[in-house]
Amino acid sequence: MDLRAELLKSIWYAFTALDVEKSGKVSKSQLKVLSHNLYTVLCIPHDPVALEEHFRDDDDGPVSSQGYMPYLNKYILDKVEEGAFVKENFDELCWTLTAKKNYKPDRNGNSVISHQDAFKLWCLFNFLSEDKYPLVMVPDEVEYLLKKICTAMNVELNSCELDDYLSQEPQGQGGLTVWQFLDMVNSGRFLKGIEQEAISMAVEEVYQEVIEDVLKQVRSPHILVHKLCPAPTCFDLRVSRVQGYLWKKGQLRRNWSERWFMLKPSALSYYMSEERKEKKGSITLDKNCCVEVLPDRDGKRCMFCVKTLSRTYEMSASDTRQRQEWTLAIQTAIRLQAEGKKSLHKDLKQKRREQREQREQRKAAKEEETQRLKQLQEEKERKLQELELLKEAQRQAEILLQEEEQRRRQQHEEMQRTLEIQLREAERARASMQAEMVLKEAEAERQRKRILELEEMQERLQEALQQEVKARQDEEAVRYAQARLLAEEEEKLKQLMKLKEEQEEYIIKTQREKQVLKQEMENKNKCLEEAQKQLEEVRVNRQRVDQDVMAAQRKLRQASTNVKHWNVQMNRLMHPIGPGDKRTNVSGGVFAGYQPLLSRRDSSLK
């Protein structure tokens, strides 16, 4: 059932609620208000020009549903985008319009369900009703919905009592209307001795599962479940077996936190608490995801994980059964995503509808076969009646023949021969009729054998059909397992190729670094060799300089020796010329001019 069909069902209730005179027509002013409200709740941009143009008051009379449908399709339904509006607000608008007129709970406050529960049951009724107007829900779907509500409370539905109620309740179009269904629930006939709070929580759970596509959620330990007993005072109040929330391991701090989980076909969301006010995150599910059971560790038991392409989420359940329920539910959501199905219950509803159609077809075929057998039986009875009439006629003919024979005995012989001829003809007719009767009985026996063969063939066909269904289920399970193994193998192959590429890049990088290091070593070796050569040259130059210094020192020592020697000689020469003052002055003046030169020479030699 697509989005347009779902919206049309709720709008149909709103339209019929506005039809006060039940004439199939609604005034334009009311339709204008309804259209404006639909624009608002469906988050569609308002088109006041088209609204005024379509509902202008230039003609007389209200508008029928056929007259309203073109505007509804063109300006509202064609512009609706799935996910752009809150479906619950839209349903509440239509429920408010129709409940005010049609829903009549107990005025004394003894209703089994609250007004909000009635709204949710109305939504469930719309989802499960047939796609025919006026909307009705067939008895099979009524039983299915009541069983789900009772299962949520651990209560067993009395199917026999439900069949009796449905047989007594007048049904139009082959099912119950929503108001008949709500009256049946409010009567308390099937929910005796159960508190209204428990019924509300059960209705909420079924509503989330069917309407909001919540595949699995852990029940709160404070939810009370009821067991139906013969007397109202005998039902048992006990805590649900499921132990609270699931534990989830963090990604950054790697600590364990208790979270409230809720599973939908497209995502596994987790919240801070069961009120779902603070959403902590969501795990998007697709065909590439998988669920695996993990061994106990880190002080946690009953662990499992959900693997996506980007991350692995580790969780811990309270017991093994709860872990199995969660893993199966998540695998179901992944399978729905792989098959391209958005809602599990839409698929289940379609399958139930197909099964009902098949049952009706088999029932029609069986009725046709029964009718044919009945016709054959009537034909046989007619033939038997004709045979009885012929026998009676034969008996009467024999009596007449006997009487005639007595009379004819008194007549002449010619009359007697004529009677004998007629008697022989009658006997031949009798033999012919007997032969025909034998043929009819043989034909009837063949028909009985044929009926038995058909029944046996029908049983074999049913067995073959069951075997084929089982084989298809086994094939689907094997195919799903094979697909999962192929996905895991592909993932491992991708990781191996990635590691291989990283190894090759690392090898190339290492080779490049090795070449660079080798070249640097060669350059350093060359520089070292040049430095050694320069060091050798420096050493040779140093030795040469040392030799020059030593030679210069020897020359200096020799020069110093020579200077001392000349000083001695000069001193010697200076002393003998002393007697004459004049010569002495001249000599002193001459050698005095040599003294600075000699001192400078000595300093330079030093």
Side-chain angles (χ1 to χ4, degrees):
M1 183 171 59
D2 57 357
L3 181 62
R4 180 184 291 262
E6 293 180 7
L7 298 179
L8 275 176
K9 286 184 177 182
S10 300
I11 295 174
W12 178 80
Y13 279 108
F15 186 90
T16 54
L18 297 177
D19 182 13
V20 180
E21 299 178 356
K22 296 183 179 181
S23 61
K25 295 182 179 181
V26 179
S27 64
K28 292 185 177 181
S29 59
Q30 290 178 320
L31 289 179
K32 186 186 296 186
V33 175
L34 175 62
S35 302
H36 188 275
N37 290 328
L38 292 177
Y39 275 122
T40 302
V41 296
L42 294 175
C43 299
I44 301 173
H46 289 254
D47 191 353
V49 176
L51 189 67
E52 295 294 337
E53 179 68 21
H54 190 82
F55 294 105
R56 62 180 184 272
D57 295 329
D58 56 352
D59 54 348
D60 299 329
V63 179
S64 64
S65 59
Q66 290 80 8
Y68 182 57
M69 281 303 296
Y71 174 83
L72 183 65
N73 287 322
K74 182 177 180 181
Y75 293 100
I76 298 178
L77 297 181
D78 289 346
K79 298 180 181 180
V80 174
E81 296 181 2
E82 189 170 2
F85 65 98
V86 180
K87 178 69 164 50
E88 186 174 357
N89 296 339
F90 168 77
D91 289 334
E92 284 183 355
L93 169 65
C94 299
W95 162 256
T96 303
L97 292 174
T98 188
K100 186 176 180 181
K101 176 183 177 183
N102 299 301
Y103 181 54
K104 299 176 181 179
D106 193 347
R107 296 181 180 179
N108 297 326
N110 297 325
S111 299
V112 176
I113 58 175
S114 63
H115 190 80
Q116 186 66 19
D117 295 337
F119 162 68
K120 293 175 182 177
L121 289 174
W122 178 78
C123 295
L124 291 168
F125 181 93
N126 289 345
F127 181 84
L128 298 174
S129 62
E130 298 297 306
D131 298 334
K132 299 177 183 178
Y133 294 91
L135 296 175
V136 295
M137 187 161 58
V138 296
D140 291 342
E141 295 297 325
V142 174
E143 183 178 4
Y144 171 78
L145 178 56
L146 291 177
K147 280 185 176 180
K148 288 196 72 67
I149 295 174
C150 292
T151 303
M153 299 183 293
N154 287 353
V155 174
E156 184 178 356
L157 178 66
N158 191 341
S159 300
C160 297
E161 188 174 359
L162 177 62
D163 293 337
D164 294 340
Y165 182 88
L166 294 177
S167 62
Q168 297 173 4
E169 186 73 15
Q171 299 180 13
Q173 303 294 328
L176 294 178
T177 64
V178 65
W179 313 118
Q180 290 175 328
F181 175 73
L182 292 177
D183 290 342
M184 178 183 68
V185 176
N186 267 327
S187 66
R189 185 171 180 177
F190 306 101
L191 301 174
K192 295 178 181 178
I194 302 177
E195 296 179 358
Q196 187 176 10
E197 182 182 359
I199 298 175
S200 298
M201 287 185 286
V203 171
E204 174 66 20
E205 182 176 342
V206 177
Y207 178 82
Q208 290 182 1
E209 179 183 351
V210 177
I211 304 300
E212 297 183 359
D213 288 328
V214 178
L215 296 181
K216 174 69 178 175
Q217 67 175 2
V218 180
R219 296 179 185 176
S220 171
H222 303 291
I223 294 179
L224 297 179
V225 295
H226 299 260
K227 183 177 181 182
L228 192 62
C229 295
T233 58
C234 296
F235 61 84
D236 179 25
L237 296 177
R238 53 190 175 90
V239 180
S240 175
R241 191 190 65 80
V242 181
Q243 298 296 320
Y245 302 11
L246 290 178
W247 289 87
K248 174 186 168 295
K249 190 173 184 179
Q251 183 181 10
L252 300 177
R253 292 188 294 177
R254 309 303 292 172
N255 60 333
W256 289 89
S257 303
E258 197 176 23
R259 295 288 181 260
W260 174 266
F261 280 81
M262 186 174 67
L263 176 63
K264 290 188 177 183
S266 59
L268 176 62
S269 304
Y270 49 95
Y271 302 82
M272 195 69 184
S273 64
E274 59 184 292
E275 286 79 13
R276 294 185 296 168
K277 294 181 179 180
E278 183 179 355
K279 185 175 182 180
K280 302 299 292 184
S282 178
I283 304 173
T284 302
L285 301 177
D286 54 25
K287 61 182 180 181
N288 298 317
C289 299
C290 65
V291 184
E292 293 183 1
V293 177
L294 300 178
D296 297 344
R297 64 172 184 270
D298 298 337
K300 295 295 179 181
R301 55 189 297 271
C302 302
M303 294 179 59
F304 66 96
C305 68
V306 179
K307 290 185 176 181
T308 64
L309 293 178
S310 59
R311 180 183 169 188
T312 299
Y313 299 84
E314 296 183 8
M315 284 158 279
S316 172
S318 60
D319 52 29
T320 306
R321 181 176 179 181
Q322 191 183 38
R323 177 177 66 181
Q324 184 180 5
E325 291 176 356
W326 272 103
T327 53
L328 290 177
I330 296 173
Q331 287 174 356
T332 302
I334 295 173
R335 178 176 59 83
L336 289 175
Q337 291 297 315
E339 295 175 357
K341 297 176 181 178
K342 297 181 178 180
S343 174
L344 174 63
H345 285 277
K346 290 181 181 179
D347 185 41
L348 293 176
K349 176 188 174 183
Q350 185 63 29
K351 289 182 179 179
R352 291 196 303 272
R353 181 175 295 176
E354 292 175 357
Q355 290 174 358
R356 286 199 302 273
E357 292 176 354
Q358 291 175 359
R359 286 200 303 270
E360 291 176 357
Q361 291 175 358
R362 289 196 296 269
K363 184 177 179 181
K366 189 175 181 180
E367 290 178 354
E368 183 179 355
E369 184 68 19
T370 305
Q371 187 69 21
R372 191 172 66 83
L373 292 175
K374 186 177 180 181
Q375 292 177 358
L376 291 175
Q377 186 69 23
E378 292 176 354
E379 182 68 17
K380 180 181 177 181
E381 292 177 357
R382 187 175 62 80
K383 293 291 184 183
L384 290 174
Q385 290 177 0
E386 291 178 358
L387 184 60
E388 289 293 334
L389 291 174
L390 289 173
K391 288 181 179 180
E392 183 67 24
Q394 185 179 1
R395 287 194 297 271
Q396 293 178 1
E398 289 177 353
I399 294 172
L400 291 174
L401 285 173
Q402 290 176 1
E403 293 175 356
E404 189 69 23
E405 187 177 359
Q406 290 177 0
R407 287 193 300 270
R408 287 178 183 178
R409 285 176 185 176
Q410 301 174 2
Q411 296 177 356
H412 50 79
E413 295 177 357
E414 185 180 359
M415 200 64 153
Q416 187 176 1
R417 289 193 297 270
T418 304
L419 290 173
E420 289 176 356
I421 293 171
Q422 291 178 357
L423 181 60
R424 287 194 295 271
E425 291 177 355
E427 288 178 354
R428 285 196 297 270
R430 178 183 178 184
S432 175
M433 292 300 295
Q434 288 179 351
E436 185 178 358
M437 184 176 66
V438 171
L439 292 175
K440 292 294 184 181
E441 290 178 352
E443 179 67 22
E445 184 66 26
R446 285 196 299 273
Q447 291 294 336
R448 284 195 295 271
K449 291 182 179 179
R450 179 61 178 169
I451 291 169
L452 294 175
E453 291 176 356
L454 289 174
E455 292 177 352
E456 184 178 358
M457 184 180 297
Q458 183 179 4
E459 292 178 356
R460 290 199 299 269
L461 286 175
Q462 290 179 351
E463 292 177 358
L465 180 60
Q466 293 176 356
Q467 292 176 359
E468 183 180 358
V469 171
K470 183 177 180 182
R472 287 185 179 178
Q473 292 176 352
D474 295 340
E475 181 184 359
E476 183 179 359
V478 171
R479 191 173 295 170
Y480 172 73
Q482 184 179 6
R484 182 173 60 82
L485 291 174
L486 288 175
E488 292 178 356
E489 183 178 356
E490 184 179 357
E491 182 67 22
K492 291 179 180 178
L493 182 59
K494 288 181 180 179
Q495 294 177 358
L496 181 60
M497 293 299 293
K498 185 176 180 181
L499 290 174
K500 186 176 180 182
E501 291 176 359
E502 292 177 356
Q503 185 177 7
E504 289 177 355
E505 291 178 358
Y506 181 74
I507 291 171
I508 294 171
K509 184 177 179 181
T510 306
Q511 289 177 354
R512 289 178 181 174
E513 292 178 354
K514 186 176 180 182
Q515 291 177 358
V516 172
L517 290 173
K518 186 176 180 181
Q519 189 172 1
E520 289 180 356
M521 288 178 66
E522 290 176 356
N523 293 333
K524 288 181 179 181
N525 288 333
K526 290 180 181 179
C527 294
L528 183 59
E529 290 176 357
E530 292 177 358
Q532 288 178 353
K533 289 179 181 179
Q534 292 177 1
L535 183 60
E536 290 294 332
E537 291 177 357
V538 169
R539 288 177 180 174
V540 172
N541 292 331
R542 182 179 178 184
Q543 291 176 359
R544 190 180 300 115
V545 170
D546 290 341
Q547 291 175 1
D548 293 341
V549 169
M550 292 174 66
Q553 288 178 354
R554 285 194 301 269
K555 290 179 180 180
L556 182 60
R557 284 192 299 269
Q558 186 178 1
S560 178
T561 306
N562 293 332
V563 169
K564 291 179 180 179
H565 176 69
W566 283 106
N567 284 331
V568 171
Q569 292 296 329
M570 288 180 70
N571 289 328
R572 286 178 182 177
L573 291 174
M574 289 172 64
H575 289 292
I577 311 175
D581 294 331
K582 191 175 182 179
R583 288 180 62 88
T584 301
N585 292 334
V586 174
S587 298
V590 173
F591 287 103
Y594 284 101
Q595 287 295 327
L597 294 173
L598 291 174
S599 62
R600 284 197 300 270
R601 182 179 178 185
D602 292 338
S603 62
S604 64
L605 289 175
K606 290 179 181 180

